[in-house]
Structures are given as structure tokens and as C-alpha cells.
Amino acid sequence: MRAGAEDMQDWAALLTGARASALGEDAARFRPLSPLAAGGADALPGALIVIDFKAEGAAALLEAYAEHKPKCRVVLVGQDLPASAIRNLFRFDASDVLDASADGPALLQACRALADQARAAAPSQAAQCWALRGAVGGAGVTTLAIETAFATLRQQPSWRVCLIDLNLTDGMAAAFLDVEKKLDVNALGGPSERIDASLLGAYALEHPKGIFIMAAQRNPLAEQVARSEGVLAFLDVACTMFDHVIVDMPRHQAPWTDAVLAAVDEVLVVSELTVPSLHAAGDLCREIDAVRGGRPARLMLNRMFAKRSHRHSFPLEKAERAIHRTVDYSIRSDWDHARMAVNLGMPVAQVKPKSPLVKDVSDTVDDLLGGLHLSRAA
């Protein structure tokens, strides 16, 4: 699907300990910079950088970026800055200065403003849209959709990532994150030309940890309201507003399901390592393959355990032979922390950053984004 988003690199920062403390968990959004070392432009990472002028080597690092990477966007934090620092700021295409007293939210807001400016000026490129669909009920699709959205944002902090819950009758993504459901399903049944960025802006809610969410109130008649044209127009506009869109799909077939599955860039079919689930997943993958015209769905097994725990299971290779399908990704079980995350309205990554579930989802996103970057580089 298409979008007007720039394929940007990660953010980087040279911070003092006090500045990093002020950012708290958000400090992890920035790739750490070191005082200038030999290496020229190759030693200067990031498309958007933050430099705390109190940090050791800040002046030299700022000058090096100004000389070698003037296209970089820079936020300089400091007070009573010397004239040389101000002159270097003028050499960048875009920059901002914050007072030394600026807190973490103010710093993040300045970074996002510069990233938005670059995004608005960038040529149109393809925004990625991934859909997750369960082969059976209770496979954990909503949890994985949420974790996938947050994992994408962690790997690409400058991106605007949106999670869209298309379980229009009884979606739970917003409830899992304890946020408001603002999407009006009637918009998906009206004239598609009325669906625009201003309308979606009213439906999108930003989670405190950075992703955007669009979800509808529970409505048992919603599937009778939405039309394929409206749902596709909705996703098309979303892909012009965001850099990356994750769609939590309903398991049951809706009138617009095939149209969405044919349009998105990736489809992840979620199953478990049980005989009924695997056969259902194999059948569903083949059905989706036919709809997508040669672009195969990817099979993801959820709630996996270490091999030593497979006392009542069977080897993965045997499962693949049984359903004539390769398992693309597997996600280890972490039921306790997943349940805790739902009860707290948080992603699992916030409750337990080193959870095996978080690690496996991050690896999946890394693999999918790696293929994306290779295709764009080509």
C-alpha cells in the first residue's frame, strides 16, 4: 500500500547522564553517540541527532555533523551557547535549540516536529501494511499485533506506526491497551471519497508509548455496515498518514476480508502447535495465497516452548510435513507477562523487556523490515 513517508534511519543522541535520566525509558529510542572519533562521515550515524551541549565532546561532534552530514536534522540542548555552535546550526537543513531546562517530553516533541517536517518534504514512497489473522480462535493475534506495532517503533523510532483493529464487531486491541475506541464504523460503509486524513485524524489515538491506535466500539452489526470500498479507502488513507500500519484482522470471513488480504504487503497467519490448529493454518494459508496471487502468506506459531518442554507435542519438522507448509516464525510462550500486560494496559515489552515473546516478535519484525530495506535498496 502507498504512503508519503520517508524511509528514515534511527535517531541518535549524545546525552549527559542527567539528560538520559530525564528521558527515562524513552532514552532507548536514541542510538547512543560517543565523542568524536576518527572515521569521518562513516562514524556519524543517524538522520536525526540530539546533542546535549554539556556532554563531553559535544562541540566537536556538532561541528563534524555540520561538515559531513548537513542534511541531518539536529536538536541542540544547552544554555548560553557559544557563537561557533550557533554558526554550525545554520549549516544544517533543519535544526532546533532547546533550553538546558527542557524535560524529556519537550525533547521528544522537538524531535518529532523535525521528523514530521522531513516526512512532509519527502517524495512519496510505499508505506508498509501488515495484517495478522488467526487460523483458530484464541491464537493470540491481538497480543502479537500490539507487540509487532511496538517492536516496529522500537526499531524505527522516527516512524509513525499505527495499529488498526479491524475486528469491528468485538475487537479487543484498544481494551488490551486501556485506550479509547474512537473509530466510527459507519464511515466504512459510506462514500469512500469522504474518507480523508482529517477524518482519520479524529479516529486515531496516540498511545503514551508512541504508536497510534484506531479501534471501534463493540458492534455486533458492524460487518453488515462496512463495505470493501470503504475499508480499502480507509487503509489507503492511513498509509498516507503513517509510515507503518499493522492490521489486527478478524478470524471469521467478512465481505471485505479478501480485498484487504490482497492489498496489504504482508499477511501473518497465527496458529499454535496443535494438530487441529496446524491443519486450519495450512488450509487458511493456501486460501490466502490464492487471493494474493503468488505472494504467499507467512505462518507464525504462537505460544511455543523450548524443545525440552515438548513432552506432549511433536517436532516442528513433522508438523510442517503434515500440513505441507513451512513455519516462517515462532513466538515463545510468556503467558504470565502477557496476562500482566493486558491487566496493566501495556505492551509486554514494557512489563518485561527481556521476555522471550518480545525477543521473538522483535526478531520477526527485524526479518520483515530487513527484506523491506533490501527491496528498497535494489
Side-chain angles (χ1 to χ4, degrees):
M1 304 190 83
R2 301 299 301 175
E6 180 189 6
D7 181 20
M8 291 184 286
Q9 305 171 41
D10 57 347
W11 297 355
L14 178 67
L15 304 173
T16 61
R19 185 68 54 194
S21 297
L23 281 166
E25 293 180 358
D26 289 315
R29 292 171 178 256
F30 299 90
R31 183 175 177 177
L33 292 175
S34 301
L36 189 63
D42 293 337
L44 304 173
L48 187 152
I49 62 167
V50 173
I51 296 180
D52 188 336
F53 211 71
K54 286 186 177 181
E56 179 184 355
L61 190 63
L62 178 65
E63 184 171 358
Y65 270 96
E67 179 178 353
H68 296 290
K69 297 187 70 174
K71 297 293 184 182
C72 194
R73 297 170 295 285
V74 58
V75 177
L76 187 61
V77 184
Q79 196 164 344
D80 299 326
L81 297 171
S84 58
I86 302 301
R87 284 196 299 270
N88 279 325
L89 281 180
F90 281 120
R91 299 166 68 182
F92 291 97
D93 285 358
S95 63
D96 197 0
V97 179
L98 296 182
D99 188 82
S101 62
D103 58 10
L107 178 56
L108 288 175
Q109 183 178 0
C111 291
R112 287 173 178 148
L114 288 180
D116 287 345
Q117 290 175 17
R119 184 179 294 109
S124 178
Q125 291 189 8
Q128 285 284 295
C129 184
W130 301 346
L132 286 82
R133 189 181 183 192
V136 293
V141 175
T142 296
T143 294
L144 294 183
I146 290 170
E147 296 305 318
T148 298
F150 280 101
T152 302
L153 183 62
R154 287 195 302 275
Q155 295 196 32
Q156 298 292 341
S158 59
W159 280 6
R160 286 163 57 89
V161 178
C162 184
L163 171 62
I164 298 178
D165 190 348
L166 284 185
N167 287 281
L168 302 177
T169 58
D170 57 357
M172 295 295 291
F176 275 30
L177 291 172
D178 194 24
V179 297
E180 184 182 356
K181 300 177 180 180
K182 301 177 68 176
L183 172 60
D184 182 359
V185 296
N186 291 311
L188 305 180
S192 58
E193 58 270 17
R194 294 184 180 178
I195 299 176
D196 57 19
S198 61
L199 183 67
L200 265 65
Y203 297 154
L205 186 146
E206 185 174 7
H207 188 273
K209 292 301 177 183
I211 71 165
F212 291 81
I213 306 165
M214 284 191 268
Q217 293 287 345
R218 185 182 182 89
N219 182 350
L221 301 178
E223 299 297 356
Q224 302 174 25
V225 175
R227 299 181 302 113
S228 294
E229 296 82 356
V231 175
L232 288 178
F234 180 84
L235 292 177
D236 280 340
V237 174
C239 285
T240 67
M241 298 172 60
F242 301 98
D243 302 285
H244 206 89
V245 175
I246 306 296
V247 181
D248 183 356
M249 293 283 291
R251 184 176 69 86
H252 59 274
Q253 187 78 5
W256 42 264
T257 299
D258 286 350
V260 171
L261 295 176
V264 299
D265 298 285
E266 297 284 356
V267 177
L268 299 173
V269 172
V270 181
S271 180
E272 295 180 307
L273 190 59
T274 65
V275 172
S277 297
L278 285 168
H279 282 292
D283 291 341
L284 181 58
C285 283
R286 284 182 280 274
E287 293 168 9
I288 294 174
D289 290 350
V291 170
R292 288 173 58 77
R295 294 176 298 143
R298 298 177 187 258
L299 178 55
M300 173 185 284
L301 294 188
N302 192 22
R303 303 194 183 108
M304 298 286 285
F305 292 91
K307 288 185 177 180
R308 63 180 181 274
S309 300
H310 285 178
R311 293 185 295 272
H312 306 292
S313 186
F314 47 89
L316 189 60
E317 296 78 8
K318 182 178 179 180
E320 291 178 327
R321 289 195 299 270
I323 64 172
H324 306 289
R325 192 82 185 192
T326 299
V327 174
D328 297 280
Y329 305 110
S330 60
I331 310 297
R332 283 171 289 177
S333 179
D334 191 356
W335 173 255
D336 288 340
H337 290 112
R339 180 179 57 185
M340 186 185 304
V342 169
N343 289 337
L344 295 174
M346 300 176 180
V348 179
Q350 187 177 351
V351 173
K352 183 68 173 180
K354 294 186 178 181
S355 163
L357 183 155
V358 172
K359 171 71 165 57
D360 291 343
V361 171
S362 294
D363 288 346
T364 298
V365 170
D366 183 61
D367 181 75
L368 292 170
L369 289 179
L372 165 64
H373 294 325
L374 286 174
S375 66
R376 284 180 171 175

